[in-house]
């Protein structure tokens, strides 16, 4: 999601004006709201997903559901024009990010030998680093 975050955030102010019809004076409010929606849903979803993965003993299901939620959120984000739909999309994307990280990193630790965990973590974390620097 980091790559999507890095690619989407710089374009959002222009998209809000051109596509969503938001007046320029309200762009900062909607941009902040979209960023807060992402962060809030990530913060709520991550511990719930981590707890659920531990209790169920199955981290693959939260990982798969998080990936599907990312797909839904991205699809809604691509077609949404109304600001409230963009908020729904960012809520889905944030929750999926929380789910994928809180289930994905322990899943790697559970399935890879201890001497290879660090190199496999790179595959989970590298897209975020690329996205943050784009």
């Amino acid at each position: 999601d980091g790559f999507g975050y890095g690619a989407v955030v710089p374009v959002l102010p222009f998209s809000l004006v051109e596509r969503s019809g938001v007046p320029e004076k309200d762009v900062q409010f909607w941009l902040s709201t979209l960023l807060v929606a992402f962060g809030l849903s990530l913060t709520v979803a991550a511990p719930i997903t981590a707890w659920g993965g531990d209790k169920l003993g199955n981290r693959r299901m939260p990982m798969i559901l998080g990936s599907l939620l990312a797909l839904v959120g991205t699809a809604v984000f691509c077609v949404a024009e109304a600001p409230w739909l963009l908020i729904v999309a960012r809520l889905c994307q944030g929750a999926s990010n929380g789910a994928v990280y809180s289930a994905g990193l322990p899943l790697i630790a559970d399935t890879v030998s201890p001497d290879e965990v660090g190199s496999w973590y790179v595959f989970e974390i590298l897209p975020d680093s690329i996205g943050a620097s784009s």
Side-chain angles (χ1 to χ4, degrees):
D1 186 65
F3 183 74
Y5 183 82
V8 166
V9 170
V11 177
L12 261 177
F14 305 105
S15 176
L16 284 168
V17 172
E18 295 293 321
R19 208 168 150 194
S20 300
V22 172
E24 294 233 4
K25 67 179 181 63
D26 296 334
V27 167
Q28 186 63 45
F29 168 79
W30 285 106
L31 185 60
S32 299
T33 302
L34 291 169
L35 296 175
V36 166
F38 179 89
L40 182 64
S41 62
L42 185 150
T43 303
V44 170
I48 292 170
T49 306
W51 177 81
D54 284 345
K55 291 296 176 195
L56 294 173
N58 178 359
R59 291 190 175 99
R60 289 182 185 189
M61 189 53 67
M63 178 81 171
I64 291 169
L65 292 175
S67 297
L68 290 173
L69 192 57
L71 180 67
V72 168
T74 302
V76 171
F77 195 82
C78 286
V79 299
E81 290 184 12
W84 71 269
L85 269 177
L86 291 171
I87 291 171
V88 170
R90 292 304 282 167
L91 287 169
C92 291
Q93 290 172 335
S96 87
N97 191 271
V100 167
Y101 269 98
S102 63
L105 294 174
L107 182 62
I108 290 171
D110 288 348
T111 57
V112 175
S113 70
D115 7 331
E116 295 179 344
V117 168
S119 58
W120 280 97
Y121 274 1
V122 170
F123 291 110
E124 175 88 16
I125 297 169
L126 185 63
D128 269 348
S129 300
I130 292 170
S133 63
S134 64

